[in-house]
Amino acid sequence: MNNIYIIGVGLIGGSLAIDIKANNTNAKIFGIDTNDAHLDDALSLNVIDGKATYDDLHNADLVILSIPVDKAVLELSKVLDEIGEQTLVIDVGSTKLPICKSVENHKNRHHFLATHPIAGTEFSGPKAAIANLYNKKTNIICEVEKTTFKLQEKALQLFQDLGMRIRYMNPEAHDKHIAYVSHLSHISAFMLGKTVIDKERNERDIFDMAGSGFESTVRLAKSSPAMWTPIFKQNRDNVIETLDEYINNLKQFKTLMEADDFDAIYNEMKNTNHIKDILKGLV
């Protein structure tokens, strides 16, 4: 796949561009973005080779839709309207059910592969794009059976070249599970940051005491609200369910504190330490 068009040249799309070019010296990557400054930055950084519009998509071997999930739902059908007979289209959104439903009856649905590469940083924009972002990361693929087999093969080869692990999942299961392991962690970071900022208004020295533990825990609060608000909106029901469970655990912890039951607190933390064994398999 040599002619590649990336719609939304930010951290995710830009990092894909960098790694694709590193693996394929013949690849020509074109950027499409409503923010022309992003395209200028991407050009100056050699992330992309040129600018393009939807009118050019008929030339594409691959189109990567890498924009906020609310915009992706609106734009995917327009992209599928413009592509050529051999074009593969993928998205990289953190919610999968709405995007899949948006094109379930489109005449070119078989050109589309719904994916979610679970990778990223707290930064955004083309200047945040980095090499090897996807190496050894998991890529969730949904409704693979709805994509033409030849295009499936092309996509899997691309992901293999990037060093990604593949998991197959239906979009409903994806959105439910990702609410726990991604969406909830971002909410926790935002709300921890809010709690500390609110307190800092009265106690200016509080950040002088913030060490690496606080920094790593609140890191995700630097993430783009423009990207994450639509994710929470699209996955509202699953996120609310995970918040209910999380809040119940926090209340239980508080109850144990109030009761001076530190043996129970120790056991809660000891049992949760098992997560170290689980996460070993993800490194």
Side-chain angles (χ1 to χ4, degrees):
M1 293 186 289
N2 294 331
N3 292 322
I4 298 166
Y5 291 74
I6 298 179
I7 303 172
V9 189
L11 164 68
I12 300 300
S15 296
L16 277 169
I18 290 170
D19 285 349
I20 290 171
K21 291 174 79 169
N23 283 288
N24 180 5
T25 56
N26 293 320
K28 293 295 182 183
I29 299 184
F30 302 92
I32 299 173
D33 203 302
T34 56
N35 187 333
D36 208 54
H38 277 186
L39 292 178
D40 290 337
D41 286 340
L43 274 170
S44 66
L45 294 166
N46 294 317
V47 172
I48 61 174
D49 300 302
K51 301 180 183 181
T53 70
Y54 281 19
D55 291 338
D56 302 309
L57 293 181
H58 64 279
N59 297 314
D61 297 313
L62 171 65
V63 178
I64 300 170
L65 188 62
S66 181
I67 57 180
V69 293
D70 57 336
K71 302 295 192 299
V73 167
L74 300 175
E75 294 300 312
L76 179 56
S77 61
K78 300 176 187 176
V79 171
L80 291 175
D81 287 341
E82 300 296 333
I83 59 173
E85 294 182 2
Q86 305 301 320
T87 306
L88 168 67
V89 179
I90 66 173
D91 88 298
V92 294
S94 183
T95 51
K96 294 271 67 85
L97 185 58
I99 196 83
C100 289
K101 281 191 170 296
S102 73
V103 293
E104 61 184 350
N105 297 315
H106 196 285
K107 65 177 182 179
N108 286 330
R109 171 64 183 84
H110 58 286
H111 284 261
F112 170 62
L113 186 66
T115 79
H116 178 200
I118 302 178
T121 73
E122 65 272 30
F123 304 110
S124 59
K127 293 180 179 179
I130 55 175
N132 296 314
L133 179 64
Y134 302 98
N135 187 40
K136 297 183 180 179
K137 300 300 194 306
T138 298
N139 193 5
I140 308 297
I141 296 178
C142 296
E143 297 188 338
V144 66
E145 71 282 356
K146 295 185 178 181
T147 307
T148 299
F149 183 71
K150 186 176 181 180
L151 294 179
Q152 289 181 37
E153 287 185 313
K154 288 183 178 181
L156 292 176
Q157 184 61 56
L158 170 66
F159 302 144
Q160 181 179 322
D161 291 343
L162 296 179
M164 303 197 77
R165 298 183 291 252
I166 302 299
R167 284 286 309 276
Y168 296 97
M169 198 174 290
N170 68 58
E172 293 87 352
H174 169 276
D175 289 2
K176 184 176 183 66
H177 298 327
I178 204 70
Y180 284 91
V181 296
S182 175
H183 303 172
L184 179 60
S185 59
H186 280 80
I187 294 170
S188 299
F190 277 116
M191 291 303 99
L192 174 58
K194 178 183 185 302
T195 301
V196 173
I197 288 171
D198 288 346
K199 187 66 174 176
E200 185 266 347
R201 288 170 183 156
N202 297 319
E203 298 184 20
R204 297 294 304 177
D205 294 332
I206 194 167
F207 281 112
D208 291 338
M209 301 172 65
S212 59
F214 174 80
E215 183 178 1
S216 61
T217 305
V218 81
R219 175 181 64 86
L220 296 178
K222 302 174 189 175
S223 300
S224 167
M227 181 179 80
W228 279 97
T229 302
I231 290 172
F232 298 148
K233 183 177 181 180
Q234 282 196 1
N235 209 22
R236 173 185 178 276
D237 292 345
N238 287 318
V239 169
I240 288 173
E241 180 180 326
T242 64
L243 281 171
D244 282 340
E245 295 180 35
Y246 186 48
I247 290 166
N248 286 337
N249 281 320
L250 289 174
K251 286 181 176 178
Q252 174 64 14
F253 194 94
K254 180 172 180 282
T255 298
L256 294 175
M257 290 284 292
E258 290 170 340
D260 286 330
D261 192 349
F262 291 97
D263 288 337
I265 286 174
Y266 174 88
N267 289 330
E268 288 275 7
M269 294 189 292
K270 180 70 174 176
N271 291 335
T272 306
N273 274 166
H274 173 55
I275 202 165
K276 292 185 293 186
D277 301 321
I278 298 170
L279 293 176
K280 277 182 183 177
L282 302 180
V283 177

